[in-house]
């Protein structure tokens, strides 16, 4: 698992904060991870690694536990048991705050502020001194290709630009791990492609690890590595190619359906 993406592992290490290239340590390590909400295991006994420096997709239908798992990873979820290490430390520990960027599923930027004002505000929240903020805000606007729209009111930006402002907020601290909850939902295919290209650029140029959720299976091929979830369980943890080959199917959607059928058969056999 750790050595599954040798090319991706050596692409890291360019950013000052990134893991040393080839260190081999996964960005996320989960072992028997369980989360209980409302008396139910909504994340149920997951064991997986997310290799450092990769773009990893967390795919599964709505309600399968993606957001809950992401909150556990960023340390904002209660009732988490099992092992969950992020960048070599227990999830949610204080030193990780600046090293992990998180964009929630719900809009977190203010429509009545400009992109620049939003970013300045969040930089202030992060404790960045006032004199350092303009350069930092310029840097992240540039990172997400919004340099020309910094002074536009966020409410007047398109859906894709809006997502980029949220992403820019997450980039303020130069995180080594980006956790993005359904960042491409509702975007047209061109904007989705542009965002995925941006994600890959961050992984390739900086060695950033990106964990990106989606309930749309056709986004799977944009990822180097996939975690497929259903009803709180992990159905597969593999590359798209290996998943198709292993299930004898032609698409990740068909692979998903095949794995669901297999899981059902296994369940009825043990009933
Ligand atoms: N506050 C809550 N109390 C109890 N169950 C919840 C709560 N919020 C969500 N759930 C349940 O947790 C499961 C996982 O939700 P979630 O992580 O949001 O899934 P996803 O992001 O994949 O759509 C769902 O089945 C949902 O019904
Ligand atoms: Mg969700």
């Amino acid at each position: 698992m750790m050595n599954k993406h040798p090319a991706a592992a050596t692409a890291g290490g360019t950013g000052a904060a990134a893991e040393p290239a080839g260190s081999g340590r996964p960005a996320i390590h989960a072992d028997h991870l369980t989360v209980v909400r409302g008396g139910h295991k909504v994340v149920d006994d997951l064991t997986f690694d997310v290799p450092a420096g990769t773009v990893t997709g967390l795919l599964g239908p709505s309600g399968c536990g993606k957001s809950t798992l992401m909150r556990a990873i960023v340390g904002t979820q209660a009732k988490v048991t099992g092992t969950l290490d992020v960048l070599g430390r227990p999830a949610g520990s204080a030193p990780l705050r600046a090293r992990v960027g998180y964009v929630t599923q719900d809009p977190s930027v203010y429509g009545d502020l400009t992109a620049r004002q939003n970013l300045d505000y969040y930089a202030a929240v992060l404790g960045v001194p006032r004199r350092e903020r303009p350069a930092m805000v310029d840097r992240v606007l540039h990172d997400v290709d919004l340099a020309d729209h910094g002074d536009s009111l966020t409410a007047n930006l398109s859906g894709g630009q809006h997502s980029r402002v949220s992403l820019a907020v997450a980039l303020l601290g130069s995180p080594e791990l980006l956790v993005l909850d359904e960042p491409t939902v509702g975007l047209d295919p061109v904007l989705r492609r542009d965002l995925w290209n941006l994600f890959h650029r961050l992984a390739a140029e900086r060695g950033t690890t990106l964990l990106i959720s989606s309930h749309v299976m056709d986004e799977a091929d944009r990822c180097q590595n996939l975690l497929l979830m259903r009803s709180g369980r992990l159905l597969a943890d593999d590359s798209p190619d290996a998943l198709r080959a292993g299930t004898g199917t032609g698409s990740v959607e068909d692979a998903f359906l095949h794995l669901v059928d297999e899981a059902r058969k296994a369940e009825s056999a043990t009933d």
Side-chain angles (χ1 to χ4, degrees):
M1 180 64 226
M2 259 185 226
N3 295 321
K4 212 156 56 183
H5 300 290
T10 51
T14 49
E19 285 291 303
S23 67
R25 191 176 68 189
I28 303 170
H29 170 68
D31 196 11
H32 296 296
L33 177 71
T34 294
V35 182
V36 172
R37 296 181 81 174
H40 298 281
K41 291 179 182 173
V42 301
V43 168
D44 190 2
D45 198 32
L46 304 194
T47 295
F48 64 89
D49 284 347
V50 172
T54 60
V55 175
T56 294
L58 174 58
L59 299 189
S62 291
C64 74
K66 301 181 297 297
S67 296
T68 305
L69 174 58
M70 288 186 146
R71 277 196 296 270
I73 290 166
V74 300
T76 58
Q77 178 65 48
K79 298 198 176 168
V80 179
T81 55
T83 302
L84 183 56
D85 290 330
V86 173
L87 305 172
R89 291 175 182 270
S93 57
L96 290 177
R97 214 163 291 156
R99 300 174 64 196
V100 178
Y102 173 43
V103 180
T104 63
Q105 214 170 337
D106 304 313
S108 53
V109 290
Y110 300 99
D112 57 343
L113 300 181
T114 67
R116 193 181 296 281
Q117 286 166 336
N118 265 297
L119 291 162
D120 185 73
Y121 168 74
Y122 280 105
V125 170
L126 283 175
V128 178
R130 184 179 295 273
R131 65 180 180 286
E132 292 174 23
R133 284 185 233 148
M136 182 182 268
V137 168
D138 282 341
R139 169 177 65 80
V140 295
L141 281 171
H142 178 261
D143 282 347
V144 300
D145 298 325
L146 272 185
D148 295 337
H149 294 86
D151 297 315
S152 306
L153 275 186
T154 307
N156 294 340
L157 295 175
S158 72
Q161 291 166 338
H162 210 271
S163 303
R164 282 165 195 274
V165 179
S166 297
L167 181 60
V169 171
L171 289 172
L172 281 168
S174 300
E176 294 154 66
L177 171 66
L178 271 176
V179 177
L180 309 178
D181 199 354
E182 306 228 25
T184 59
V185 165
L187 299 183
D188 76 46
V190 175
L191 293 173
R192 270 167 51 182
R193 182 197 59 194
D194 290 352
L195 262 186
W196 279 103
N197 287 343
L198 173 58
F199 301 153
H200 280 280
R201 211 173 74 207
L202 290 168
E205 292 178 4
R206 301 190 189 163
T208 307
T209 307
L210 292 96
L211 180 66
I212 300 169
S213 68
S214 177
H215 66 269
V216 183
M217 287 291 161
D218 64 9
E219 303 218 274
D221 279 302
R222 306 243 178 231
C223 306
Q224 291 160 292
N225 195 51
L226 296 174
L227 299 171
L228 281 194
M229 273 184 87
R230 181 172 180 272
S231 304
R233 307 297 296 262
L234 199 59
L235 285 179
D237 166 9
D238 228 328
S239 70
D241 281 343
L243 200 57
R244 279 185 290 259
T247 52
T249 57
S251 72
V252 170
E253 177 145 4
D254 286 342
F256 178 82
L257 294 172
H258 177 89
L259 291 166
V260 170
D261 288 343
E262 300 261 285
R264 282 190 180 148
K265 270 185 223 154
E267 275 163 27
S268 59
T270 55
D271 279 347

